[in-house]
Amino acid sequence: MLDRTGLSVSSISSQSLRWRLSLGVILVNLFVLFLAASSLRQSWHQYQDRAETTAKNLSRVLEGEIGGDIEKIDITLLAAGDEVMRQFSSGKVGQKELNDFLLRQQSLLREIDSLCVADERGSVAYGNPATPGIANVAERKFFASQRDNANAGLVIDRPVQTRSDNRWSLPMSRRINHPDGSFAGVVYVNLSLDHLVKTFSKLDLGSKGVANLRDLDLNILARYPERLGAASAIGKPTISLPLKQLIDAGQTAGTYRVAAVLDNVERAYSYRKIGDYPLYVTVGLASEDYLADWRTSLVKEAAWGILFFVATLLTSLLIYRALMRQQNAYESLYNSEERFLDAFENAPIGMAIVALDGTFSKVNQALCQILGYERAELKKLRFQDITHPDDLDADLANIKRLLDGEIGAFQMEKRYIRSDDQIVWVQVTGSIVRDAKNTPLHFLAQVENITDRKKVEAQIEFLAYHDALTKLPNRLLARDHLEMAIAYTERAGTKTAVLFLDLDNFKTINDSFGHAIGDELLIAVAERLRECTHETDTISRQGGDEFLIVLSDVPDAEAITLFAEKILERLEETFIIGGNEIATSLSVGIAVYPDDSKDIDTLLKFADRAMYHAKGAGRNAFRFYTEQMNVDAVAHQHIRVGLRRALEHGELALHYQPQISLSSGAVIGAEALIRWNHPELGLLLPATFLPTAEESGLIVPMGDWVLQEACRQAVEWLEAGLPEFVMAVNISAMQFTRGDLEQSVLRALADSGLPPALLELELTESILIQDTEKVLETVQRLKSHGLMLSIDDFGTGYSSLSYLKRFNVDKLKIDRSFICDMINNPNDATIVRAIIQMARNLNLKTIAEGVEDEHLLSFLRLQYCDEGQGYYFSRPLPADEFARYVANNTQQLKLIP
Ligand SMILES: Nc1nc2c(ncn2[C@@H]2O[C@H](COP(=O)(O)O[C@H]3[C@@H](O)[C@H](n4cnc5c(=O)[nH]c(N)nc54)O[C@@H]3COP(=O)(O)O)[C@@H](O)[C@H]2O)c(=O)[nH]1
């Protein structure tokens, strides 16, 4: 089986292993058994052959021994026969002489019991019988054989047992003839079987070996060893079949193996005919004896065999256990490797096995996706090839520390270059894999795509130092850049300029067009500012409509001036946002390092003050920081602190500016304009404290006071006999949102007794376009009381005809910015003409503010503008002066052409 790595995986089951080992044990043992059996069989044959040879040799020895004895006895018989026949032929037989002769001959042969002569009647006449003449052998077989056959030769008869001592002896005889050749009798001896047995006993036949002497009929004549009961076998033909077959086949000598008839003992026999005598000698060696050593060997071999079997069994058991352990270890290794490979392949993060040279040996699918390579492509690459050059040194340093054993693992954030050349940020966890000898094998890398996180981090970092809307640096970053610019300036010996910028009418724009358009405007302003600056300069949004520009390395104030003029000019150009044409301008305050201060906070503070100075100078202007601005700033500070006190202590006052009918020259109205009689700073104009009043919310009670005071003053003038005219009061947006304007107005009217028709509320366009329904409701209720309604600063805001109709507006107050320049600026003249024409069409009155000279007045009259207000007629005046002005009203009329 092949795993996914291509490595061979064994899957031998324990059952299969048991089978194989068992078969192996059986085969080995069978083989050993076969060898042992062959060896034993061979040695058995050798033992058999050796036994047969030994039996053969022993039978040959016995043949020699017994043949020799019989030959000696035969010679003695022949000698005794010759002596008897000599004495018969001499005619006289000496009894004593013949007996002595026979006894002498007998004494020469230890083997025989007696040597006797029997006559032709069988009567034993001579020799060694106990009582000669009494014994008769005529009935004996050997006598008859000799008598009946003159050529019988040596006749050996069957053994006989003596009656006296039961001893066996073997009769051997020769014929004695008369001189004429007739039968004269026999000479015979009894060969003692004891003697033969003694001869047999000299042989080493083993414990169960036998030696027999048999006649030609194979009757046993003598047997060794003598055994109880075995004697009865003597004289009987106890023969084995193999012997009979061999002899019947005519073989005079031979060997055979058989279990003896007598004792059933298996023996290796050798038989041999003794010379020409009618005798056979057999020697049998018992297999029990001659195979004793073989049997011992057999037992030993069997013991060794059993030992070997047990040993092989144990060995196989051990091998089995070892193999199973190995198998189990391998399986657990395989399983753990499988689990590792599964985890590796299916990991949600990229994983790689990296060779020591950096080549990707193995990668998972997630890594391929992260890097945008096919698996095969990636495996041809080294990690160095796709690592971002800026991250390679750090990466290699970590690898070196791994290889040196300084660390076991490392984690780093780095960049790879994808196949599509995109940068991908990853977090790499690298570790090293070593073998048992601690030699490094390869690296293991876990690669997590952190590009999104990096983007978010970059975004968070960006937002920490940038303005989310305009993407410009924020205060923090701007401060850093300012510090760097100053440091550079220090070295270069040049200057750094800090420009504090504020959009002049942003609030109005915001209120008029809504916050979305206001935001777009801020973005567009930022873009224009970018176009005006160099890369080394810094533009920052400080918040709201405030921007900060840091110009580094500027040579002198003239260069700063040129830059300031450039941005003012650029910002004056109309913006087209969301289909709307929007005009704005900048007020810029400038502080210079190191001229104004060497301290950053002080520089920023001075630039801020200078900006307010520019605002005070009529906006769309820039101002360098001066000592006077310092003074103004201190005053501003006092304003913040003293505004509430001013309200409570009656430091506020109203000045009134006349509104003139351009057709009759009569005073037809008065605009109430707030002033602050500051105890230290003197008379302050609204521009110095109204923004603070708006910020603090004091504008609401302040507005209430203005309404009360204006109405009271109007009624006072009426009662003093001044001609009737309308009192115009400026209403702040906050009075609509935070205060109860209707109640406030009605209270002022009620408290003063001023007819509602003589009170005119001046609202800005921005008030009317915010939260329209609520404002509409309030305005409609106010109008229902008979109040007059005019739109202040008309032309700078939304300028929508629809709300003019809906709010039932009475008058449009054309903004001063159009009036003051309309003689020189055809655009402004066109706008003024258009506003007047539109108002006329809507049946609204128009009033021009900022009428400063008679040219403007003439122009306005030509355009049929209804009313005018401006320095040409009068500056805003305290109440008593205003009353005098009205009294001298004819003075104004004569100025009108
Ligand atoms: N909510 C309130 N707003 C008020 C109140 N009083 C004044 N204001 C607002 O403050 C603005 C500045 O007023 P002020 O400094 O009084 O300036 C007025 C005039 O002095 C000035 N003006 C008039 N004629 C001319 C001119 O010929 N040339 C010139 N350079 N300036 C001139 O204009 C101011 C009046 O403007 P407007 O109200 O738009 O008619 C002022 O704009 C008020 O909005 C207050 O009580 N409540």
Side-chain angles (χ1 to χ4, degrees):
M1 182 166 72
L2 287 176
D3 70 356
R4 281 177 284 169
T5 59
L7 300 171
S8 173
V9 176
S10 171
S11 62
I12 301 172
S13 68
S14 61
Q15 195 179 6
S16 168
L17 188 61
R18 272 199 301 274
W19 264 107
R20 291 180 187 200
L21 280 170
S22 302
L23 191 65
V25 169
I26 290 168
L27 287 176
V28 166
N29 278 278
L30 280 177
F31 179 67
V32 170
L33 190 64
F34 170 75
L35 288 179
S38 298
S39 167
L40 284 170
R41 186 167 175 278
Q42 195 178 0
S43 71
W44 183 85
H45 281 293
Q46 285 172 349
Y47 275 97
Q48 291 288 2
D49 292 348
R50 207 179 300 149
E52 284 179 14
T53 304
T54 305
K56 211 183 278 179
N57 291 336
L58 289 176
S59 64
R60 194 172 280 132
V61 168
L62 284 180
E63 181 203 0
E65 287 266 330
I66 293 170
D69 286 346
I70 290 173
E71 193 175 10
K72 275 194 303 185
I73 291 168
D74 194 26
I75 289 169
T76 300
L77 287 173
L78 287 172
D82 285 348
E83 180 59 25
V84 172
M85 282 193 287
R86 188 184 62 79
Q87 288 192 20
F88 283 173
S89 61
S90 66
K92 58 175 184 180
V93 177
Q95 179 78 34
K96 185 177 178 305
E97 193 179 341
L98 189 56
N99 276 339
D100 289 344
F101 173 76
L102 292 173
L103 287 171
R104 266 200 315 279
Q105 290 297 321
Q106 182 185 337
S107 66
L108 292 174
L109 293 171
R110 285 179 289 116
E111 298 87 351
I112 59 175
D113 296 334
S114 59
L115 175 60
C116 300
V117 174
D119 59 18
E120 61 269 19
R121 291 182 301 273
S123 174
V124 180
Y126 310 102
N128 193 28
T131 41
I134 292 175
N136 192 299
V137 296
E139 299 304 320
R140 305 278 288 276
K141 187 182 173 189
F142 68 84
F143 183 82
S145 297
Q146 293 294 358
R147 184 190 60 203
D148 297 338
N149 184 2
N151 297 316
L154 177 67
V155 173
I156 299 172
D157 201 354
R158 289 189 180 165
V160 292
Q161 203 170 14
T162 56
R163 290 193 186 98
S164 55
D165 56 4
N166 287 335
R167 290 172 58 200
W168 286 90
S169 59
L170 189 66
M172 298 175 63
S173 63
R174 278 268 177 189
R175 178 181 167 117
I176 303 168
N177 291 329
H178 289 290
D180 58 358
S182 62
F183 178 66
V186 296
V187 55
Y188 70 94
V189 298
N190 284 321
L191 174 62
S192 168
L193 288 185
D194 288 346
H195 172 75
L196 289 178
V197 170
K198 273 182 192 167
T199 302
F200 290 166
S201 69
K202 289 177 190 169
L203 304 176
D204 181 9
L205 299 175
S207 64
K208 295 204 172 165
V210 293
N212 292 328
L213 184 69
R214 293 174 184 268
D215 61 14
L216 287 180
D217 296 329
L218 298 179
N219 296 313
I220 294 176
L221 302 179
R223 188 177 187 276
Y224 177 83
E226 289 176 300
R227 294 172 48 198
L228 283 175
S232 60
I234 291 177
K236 294 176 183 169
T238 52
I239 52 170
S240 302
L241 186 61
L243 175 62
K244 186 166 182 339
Q245 287 171 341
L246 286 167
I247 288 175
D248 288 347
Q251 293 189 20
T252 57
T255 57
Y256 59 94
R257 262 195 330 271
V258 74
V261 176
L262 272 179
D263 52 13
N264 201 32
V265 174
E266 188 189 273
R267 295 185 181 88
Y269 287 95
S270 172
Y271 75 94
R272 180 171 287 279
K273 190 164 181 292
I274 301 174
D276 294 329
Y277 303 118
L279 294 172
Y280 289 100
V281 65
T282 61
V283 174
L285 298 177
S287 62
E288 200 176 309
D289 293 334
Y290 65 77
L291 288 179
D293 288 346
W294 179 84
R295 287 211 169 88
T296 304
S297 299
L298 179 68
V299 170
K300 279 183 188 171
E301 294 272 340
W304 278 117
I306 290 166
L307 264 178
F308 181 77
F309 175 73
V310 170
T312 52
L313 206 61
L314 284 174
T315 306
S316 67
L317 201 64
L318 290 174
I319 290 170
Y320 171 74
R321 284 190 176 174
L323 285 175
M324 283 316 292
R325 265 201 302 275
Q326 191 181 351
Q327 173 87 358
N328 290 338
Y330 190 88
E331 277 176 6
S332 66
L333 182 67
Y334 176 75
N335 289 337
S336 67
E337 188 181 354
E338 267 296 289
R339 282 198 296 276
F340 169 76
L341 287 173
D342 271 351
F344 185 94
E345 187 54 42
N346 298 319
I349 60 170
M351 294 198 71
I353 292 172
V354 181
L356 295 180
D357 68 351
T359 308
F360 289 102
S361 306
K362 186 168 178 57
V363 295
N364 71 351
Q365 191 54 35
L367 186 63
C368 295
Q369 281 171 357
I370 289 171
L371 298 176
Y373 282 99
E374 292 296 321
R375 204 181 289 254
E377 293 172 333
L378 204 49
K379 287 172 84 171
K380 288 178 191 159
L381 295 172
R382 301 175 311 149
F383 76 85
Q384 298 94 316
D385 301 329
I386 55 170
T387 295
H388 192 284
D390 293 347
D391 298 333
L392 191 55
D393 285 348
D395 210 353
L396 292 175
N398 280 326
I399 294 288
K400 185 174 182 311
R401 292 176 68 205
L402 272 184
L403 286 167
D404 292 347
E406 283 178 35
I407 51 173
F410 70 85
Q411 199 167 64
M412 71 177 291
E413 291 181 358
K414 60 179 277 191
R415 286 158 289 178
Y416 278 125
I417 301 167
R418 285 170 48 90
S419 62
D420 55 8
D421 287 336
Q422 295 290 311
I423 301 278
V424 57
W425 269 100
V426 293
Q427 178 172 282
V428 173
T429 305
S431 57
I432 192 164
V433 178
R434 298 170 185 273
D435 66 9
K437 292 176 184 166
N438 209 32
T439 308
L441 295 177
H442 53 251
F443 304 108
L444 185 64
Q446 299 170 47
V447 182
E448 192 178 354
N449 189 344
I450 58 168
T451 307
D452 290 343
R453 195 190 87 200
K454 277 284 179 188
K455 278 182 189 163
V456 172
E457 281 177 5
Q459 214 170 347
I460 289 169
E461 195 181 335
F462 183 84
L463 288 176
Y465 292 100
H466 292 81
D467 168 48
L469 181 67
T470 60
K471 309 289 185 280
L472 291 174
N474 63 9
R475 285 171 188 273
L476 285 173
L477 191 56
R479 191 183 174 88
D480 277 358
H481 287 194
L482 180 55
E483 282 175 2
M484 285 191 283
I486 286 173
Y488 183 80
T489 296
E490 274 289 317
R491 291 194 298 275
T494 50
K495 298 177 192 297
T496 293
V498 179
L499 290 83
F500 206 99
L501 285 58
D502 188 275
L503 285 179
D504 286 335
N505 56 348
F506 180 68
K507 188 170 181 309
T508 305
I509 294 165
N510 222 6
D511 291 342
S512 303
F513 293 94
H515 290 286
I517 297 292
D519 287 350
E520 288 296 313
L521 176 65
L522 289 172
I523 293 168
V525 167
E527 189 50 43
R528 286 198 188 173
L529 292 176
R530 264 196 209 99
E531 289 167 14
C532 297
T533 52
H534 298 116
E535 269 192 15
T536 49
D537 302 329
T538 299
I539 312 166
S540 155
R541 183 178 174 217
Q542 301 286 288
D545 57 352
E546 293 175 349
F547 295 85
L548 186 85
I549 295 178
V550 177
L551 298 179
S552 64
D553 196 26
V554 284
D556 49 32
E558 196 181 341
I560 302 169
T561 302
L562 287 172
F563 175 77
E565 285 173 350
K566 186 165 82 174
I567 56 173
L568 286 182
E569 207 173 296
R570 187 78 179 89
L571 264 288
E572 261 188 322
E573 292 171 25
T574 306
F575 289 88
I576 309 290
I577 295 171
N580 304 294
E581 287 191 6
I582 297 176
T584 187
S585 60
L586 281 177
S587 294
V588 182
I590 305 166
V592 180
Y593 177 93
D595 302 355
D596 295 326
S597 176
K598 288 196 163 187
D599 176 63
I600 287 179
D601 289 327
T602 307
L603 275 174
L604 291 169
K605 193 166 67 183
F606 285 176
D608 186 35
R609 286 180 192 168
M611 186 275 291
Y612 276 105
H613 195 69
K615 280 249 187 252
R619 306 179 180 188
N620 195 20
F622 67 92
R623 289 290 183 274
F624 281 92
Y625 172 76
T626 63
E627 269 310 310
Q628 182 54 44
M629 279 188 279
N630 243 341
V631 175
D632 293 347
V634 172
H636 190 68
Q637 184 67 22
H638 281 120
I639 286 162
R640 284 175 198 271
V641 176
L643 200 52
R644 188 174 296 278
R645 188 202 61 212
L647 190 60
E648 291 166 357
H649 291 81
E651 293 173 8
L652 298 177
L654 288 180
H655 284 194
Y656 301 93
Q657 189 171 29
Q659 296 177 331
I660 308 297
S661 165
L662 297 187
S663 55
S664 66
V667 176
I668 45 87
E671 182 181 6
L673 297 162
I674 195 165
R675 299 291 182 266
W676 181 8
N677 285 308
H678 196 281
E680 294 161 11
L681 302 172
L683 190 71
L684 298 179
L685 292 172
T688 59
F689 60 88
L690 274 188
T692 310
E694 294 269 0
E695 279 170 24
S696 62
L698 280 173
I699 191 70
V700 176
M702 198 181 280
D704 287 349
W705 177 84
V706 169
L707 276 170
Q708 284 282 338
E709 178 58 19
C711 290
R712 187 202 61 75
Q713 184 61 60
V715 171
E716 187 183 306
W717 282 331
L718 280 174
E719 290 173 351
L722 286 181
E724 195 176 82
F725 53 83
V726 173
M727 177 62 77
V729 176
N730 288 286
I731 301 295
S732 155
M734 200 173 281
Q735 286 177 271
F736 267 91
T737 53
R738 291 206 194 163
D740 188 351
L741 182 63
E742 186 184 2
Q743 287 303 313
S744 182
V745 168
L746 293 177
R747 195 164 48 243
L749 289 171
D751 289 353
S752 61
L754 182 70
L758 296 182
L759 179 61
E760 181 180 295
L761 301 182
E762 287 195 11
L763 310 178
T764 58
E765 290 173 290
S766 60
I767 292 175
L768 299 183
I769 61 169
Q770 68 177 352
D771 200 4
T772 313
E773 293 310 314
K774 191 180 171 193
V775 173
L776 179 63
E777 215 176 287
T778 307
V779 170
Q780 282 175 345
R781 275 205 305 273
L782 287 169
K783 281 287 291 178
S784 68
H785 296 297
L787 292 169
M788 302 291 287
L789 194 63
S790 69
I791 304 299
D792 201 1
D793 305 332
F794 192 81
T796 58
Y798 193 58
S799 306
S800 163
L801 293 180
S802 64
Y803 73 72
L804 296 178
K805 286 179 185 169
R806 290 179 70 198
F807 285 95
N808 197 13
V809 172
D810 299 296
K811 195 193 290 182
L812 300 182
K813 200 170 185 181
I814 305 168
D815 190 69
R816 190 171 69 235
S817 61
F818 300 115
I819 303 299
C820 66
D821 216 18
M822 64 184 177
I823 301 297
N824 301 318
N825 188 335
N827 285 342
D828 288 354
T830 306
I831 290 170
V832 171
R833 260 197 303 271
I835 292 172
I836 293 169
Q837 190 58 46
M838 180 189 73
R840 193 172 292 276
N841 292 342
L842 291 171
N843 213 15
L844 303 177
K845 287 196 177 302
T846 49
I847 179 170
E849 60 176 345
V851 182
E852 293 186 348
D853 56 45
E854 60 181 90
H855 301 292
L856 295 175
L857 176 61
S858 299
F859 183 86
L860 290 167
R861 292 188 70 191
L862 282 173
Q863 301 305 321
Y864 298 103
C865 181
D866 297 309
E867 298 165 8
Q869 180 184 343
Y871 294 167
Y872 177 71
F873 303 111
S874 170
R875 287 181 174 267
L877 300 168
D880 53 343
E881 287 184 33
F882 182 83
R884 280 197 291 279
Y885 175 82
V886 174
N888 296 327
N889 179 264
T890 51
Q891 203 174 335
Q892 298 293 327
L893 287 174
K894 72 178 177 189
L895 293 175
I896 300 171

